[in-house]
Amino acid sequence: MSYYLIFGIMASLSLVQLRGTANERLVTTIYCLLVVLIFSSLRGVLGNDHYSYYYAFIYQLDLFEFGYNYLNELSFFIFGQHFNGLLFVVAGISLFFYFFSAYKFTIYPIIAFIIIFCDLYQYFNHSGLRQGIALSVVLLAFYTATKGKYLAFLSLVFVAASFHKVALCVIPAYFILSPSFTRRAIPYLGLVILLAIFHLFSHIFVNYLSESNIRGGNLYFSEHYNVSNIQNYIIGTIKRLIPIMIIMWFIKVRHASAAFISIFDIYMIGFILYLGLYYFYPDIGVRLSSYYFIIEGVLMARLIEEIHNERQKIYGSLIILAWAIIRLLTYTNNPLYNYSLSTDLF
């Protein structure tokens, strides 16, 4: 019920933004951020990885990348053993980057965030805290790339990698989003070649990671983390194909603005990564592709901007919101994501 309440608040505010002034969009965006911040900070046990982060906080274990370890220590210094203090800090950082990025990318930032909230936010920000922070920082890095600011882009990517090293996989995205890059086919071709090479020599690559001292390398490629399931693969593919179908229903991509096309290309890179990796290495496929799929919320919001008919805008927004809540059902029906207030708030 809690998820639907938050969704209802955000959906209502997103519809206000469709006809709102610039000031109204800013106020509703800040209000939405605060609502989700409270929701995420006061939660109890939630997600698959809750206890990994809980015990790392309580016992001050340096188990993760240095950026997260520092944040873990700082939160403990400020809040003592109150784990919700850490959740407040993590949610505050993530939400700032998500909303600030969305606000810079589109005039409909709440629609952009709703798409994130109903899927990746649950899986990463409510469970895998490190990657949740990294994804939010990467989204802002994508925005700087659209402005051709390569130093800002690289700086943000390295900040993201200090929380989750896999974030380095988005470095090629600069050449897709940068306004000075026009050869759209090259990134797709390059990715296909890299995936082919990876699969041809995957046994060498996996053995290297398994035997190396790279933290998490052995775990991410373990059989426990990578159980192939054709049904999950098909369902996941359809799930990631639906946004493409929604876009093609409303507009012809080749006639869209250059900015929209570059954002669409980022999503397509994620789609190719998912198709190429998930069946053989499900965990790696999800983690890598999520760094490109994080652009989906912005993509859907920019789709609304590309639609010029007012009635079609509303129709498109309702379809996007309906698709978002369907995705949220995946988590509301999962016992691991049953929301409850923390019993250790004070």
Side-chain angles (χ1 to χ4, degrees):
M1 185 64 185
S2 303
Y3 290 108
Y4 299 123
L5 175 61
I6 299 300
F7 178 87
I9 292 171
M10 291 193 296
S12 301
L13 293 174
S14 72
L15 295 176
V16 170
Q17 287 193 341
L18 285 179
R19 295 179 178 272
T21 64
N23 285 336
E24 288 172 337
R25 285 195 292 270
L26 177 60
V27 170
T28 51
T29 299
I30 293 173
Y31 180 75
C32 186
L33 185 157
L34 293 175
V35 167
V36 180
L37 176 60
I38 294 170
F39 179 74
S40 297
S41 302
L42 300 184
R43 68 175 177 83
V45 179
L46 199 65
N48 296 290
D49 300 324
H50 174 87
Y51 286 107
S52 296
Y53 290 104
Y54 177 78
Y55 289 122
F57 177 76
I58 295 298
Y59 297 109
Q60 286 297 284
L61 305 175
D62 290 339
L63 300 177
F64 308 112
E65 289 84 353
F66 72 89
Y68 183 82
N69 288 337
Y70 175 76
L71 196 66
N72 197 46
E73 293 173 11
L74 179 62
S75 300
F76 189 86
F77 175 77
I78 297 172
F79 299 102
Q81 289 192 320
H82 294 292
F83 183 61
N84 288 89
L86 173 67
L87 295 182
F88 173 78
V89 172
V90 170
I93 293 172
S94 299
L95 290 170
F96 168 78
F97 279 103
Y98 279 136
F99 277 99
F100 182 71
S101 305
Y103 194 81
K104 300 293 283 185
F105 258 121
T106 174
I107 60 174
Y108 305 127
I110 295 180
I111 287 180
F113 180 73
I114 285 174
I115 296 296
I116 296 171
F117 178 82
C118 290
D119 193 356
L120 293 180
Y121 189 86
Q122 302 303 322
Y123 191 73
F124 292 116
N125 292 87
H126 276 170
S127 185
L129 304 182
R130 291 150 49 232
Q131 188 163 354
I133 295 174
L135 285 168
S136 67
V137 177
V138 161
L139 190 60
L140 183 58
F142 284 161
Y143 175 75
T144 63
T146 65
K147 302 302 179 183
K149 299 178 179 179
Y150 66 90
L151 288 178
F153 172 81
L154 287 176
S155 298
L156 286 166
V157 170
F158 285 120
V159 169
S162 74
F163 289 93
H164 195 249
K165 64 180 77 71
V166 183
L168 294 172
C169 73
V170 303
I171 289 177
Y174 179 82
F175 302 102
I176 303 170
L177 291 167
S178 174
S180 61
F181 191 80
T182 56
R183 298 178 181 178
R184 293 181 57 208
I186 293 177
Y188 294 106
L189 180 61
L191 181 57
V192 170
I193 292 171
L194 285 175
L195 286 173
I197 293 172
F198 175 81
H199 283 296
L200 285 172
F201 300 99
S202 61
H203 63 289
I204 299 174
F205 185 61
V206 171
N207 288 338
Y208 169 74
L209 283 179
S210 299
E211 296 172 4
S212 70
N213 293 321
I214 298 175
R215 184 176 291 175
N218 186 38
L219 178 65
Y220 291 155
F221 283 92
S222 67
E223 291 184 4
H224 170 70
Y225 260 57
N226 294 283
V227 180
S228 298
N229 185 313
I230 188 63
Q231 182 178 350
N232 289 343
Y233 182 57
I234 292 172
I235 292 173
T237 300
I238 293 171
K239 170 185 169 183
R240 290 158 177 81
L241 188 61
I242 287 176
I244 300 172
M245 296 170 64
I246 292 174
I247 290 168
M248 292 183 173
W249 177 267
F250 284 100
I251 65 171
K252 293 181 179 179
V253 175
R254 66 179 183 274
H255 294 155
S257 65
F260 181 87
I261 292 172
S262 65
I263 294 170
F264 180 77
D265 285 346
I266 291 293
Y267 185 87
M268 290 303 299
I269 293 293
F271 189 65
I272 294 171
L273 276 171
Y274 179 85
L275 289 178
L277 291 174
Y278 182 85
Y279 182 73
F280 302 97
Y281 302 103
D283 191 71
I284 293 296
V286 168
R287 290 180 186 277
L288 282 179
S289 63
S290 66
Y291 278 104
Y292 289 84
F293 283 137
I294 194 63
I295 204 75
E296 182 190 351
V298 170
L299 182 64
M300 292 292 100
R302 291 298 291 260
L303 171 63
I304 302 302
E305 291 186 44
E306 293 288 327
I307 301 172
H308 302 297
N309 182 283
E310 289 299 317
R311 182 175 294 180
Q312 288 289 304
K313 275 184 185 288
I314 296 173
Y315 180 47
S317 298
L318 292 176
I319 288 178
I320 291 169
L321 291 175
W323 169 232
I325 200 168
I326 289 171
R327 294 167 72 172
L328 187 59
L329 288 172
T330 303
Y331 297 94
T332 58
N333 292 330
N334 185 338
L336 289 172
Y337 288 87
N338 285 342
Y339 186 89
S340 61
L341 288 175
S342 172
T343 56
D344 185 36
L345 291 177
F346 305 102

